[in-house]
Amino acid sequence: MPEVERVLDRDGVPSEVLADRLRDVGSRLAALRWQEAALRSLQECPAGERADRARLLGAVPAPPGTDALVRFWRRILPVGLPGRTVSLVLDSVVLPPPAEPSPARVRDFAELHALASGPFPGAACRSAQPLPEGTYRPDVLYEGLAEAYALAEAEARTGRAGGALDCFVSAYAAAQGVRDTPAFRRGLVPVLDRGDSVLIRRYWKLAAGLFAPGEPVLGLLHHRLSLALRREVEGHAV
């Protein structure tokens, strides 16, 4: 640490230099932990799969970042969504790289990175929209869904009903400027089915392994609320 010694000789305790050095060391340690887990992932996979696994893992910088995931969601989110709402959504759906990478988590994050980085047609983006463009207010929908997901997470954690389903449906109704009625709920079921795109399902399937045990997975919460609505509608139809 020669540069630290030079500043110490001249100016005393160099807090800014030490902070910079700590950040640099932390970044290098994170890169080494990632590289170690990536090598173990290669070591553990069948020999015939190592070339493909190496290409998959090699496409992710070490330490990894979230730029590809942010770009992925920005392509999917509706155009013109207010910046505050965009930040709200991105904070919920963009996963940070695992702080303690294991071979399995490194592979999962690399596959998520590949999905987010790869080309996908405009039709895939449109199919990932929750409602047809021009038929709703995206800011109202996404902010309402954020509240519903928070309630659903609390219900899952406590085992007590907390109004998550009503909040979920109300978000869709308010975004379209209509009332939440039994007829609206019946019509919402096929709308949710159409919005359940392959692209988004794949994203959340890969992301699920990156969450800590008990940590809420937004995609799973959405799926549970959609199923709860279907059960309610089908129960009333009997």
Side-chain angles (χ1 to χ4, degrees):
M1 300 174 53
E3 69 272 28
V4 175
E5 292 177 357
R6 285 195 296 271
V7 177
L8 274 171
D9 290 342
R10 187 178 67 249
D11 299 322
V13 178
S15 57
E16 293 180 0
V17 171
L18 287 173
D20 288 343
R21 290 291 292 161
L22 281 170
R23 280 192 294 271
D24 178 58
V25 170
S27 178
R28 283 186 284 154
L29 286 172
L32 288 172
R33 284 194 293 269
W34 184 269
Q35 290 166 0
E36 179 186 23
L39 288 171
R40 292 191 184 281
S41 177
L42 285 172
Q43 186 180 50
E44 293 172 4
C45 81
E49 299 176 11
R50 281 183 184 156
D52 289 341
R53 180 75 60 86
R55 282 190 289 270
L56 176 72
L57 298 176
V60 182
T66 59
D67 290 350
L69 305 186
V70 170
R71 287 193 298 269
F72 172 85
W73 283 102
R74 285 190 179 277
R75 290 178 65 184
I76 289 174
L77 291 175
V79 176
L81 199 62
R84 173 177 56 85
T85 310
V86 171
S87 297
L88 173 70
V89 175
L90 292 179
D91 287 346
S92 301
V93 299
V94 174
L95 300 175
E100 298 294 335
S102 65
R105 285 187 159 195
V106 163
R107 183 199 61 230
D108 287 345
F109 190 86
E111 290 184 348
L112 193 63
H113 183 275
L115 174 72
S117 303
F120 47 90
C125 294
R126 289 190 295 274
S127 70
Q129 297 294 323
L131 293 167
E133 186 176 358
T135 65
Y136 71 109
R137 292 180 56 191
D139 55 332
V140 174
L141 176 62
Y142 282 98
E143 291 178 16
L145 288 178
E147 183 180 354
Y149 298 147
L151 291 173
E153 188 275 327
E155 288 182 353
R157 187 179 66 253
T158 64
R160 296 193 300 271
L165 180 58
D166 288 342
C167 185
F168 180 71
V169 175
S170 293
Y172 281 91
Q176 296 174 83
V178 299
R179 292 174 54 239
D180 174 8
T181 64
F184 176 78
R185 293 193 176 212
R186 288 193 298 272
L188 184 56
V189 171
V191 170
L192 293 173
D193 287 343
R194 288 193 296 272
D196 186 22
S197 74
V198 173
L199 188 65
I200 299 301
R201 283 204 307 272
R202 177 67 174 158
Y203 181 93
W204 287 112
K205 181 178 180 179
L206 294 172
L210 299 170
F211 284 85
E215 190 176 0
V217 181
L218 187 147
L220 180 58
L221 295 175
H222 183 92
H223 180 65
R224 286 176 177 170
L225 289 167
S226 299
L227 287 180
L229 177 62
R230 177 181 291 278
R231 286 194 296 268
E232 178 190 88
V233 168
E234 291 176 348
H236 288 166
V238 175

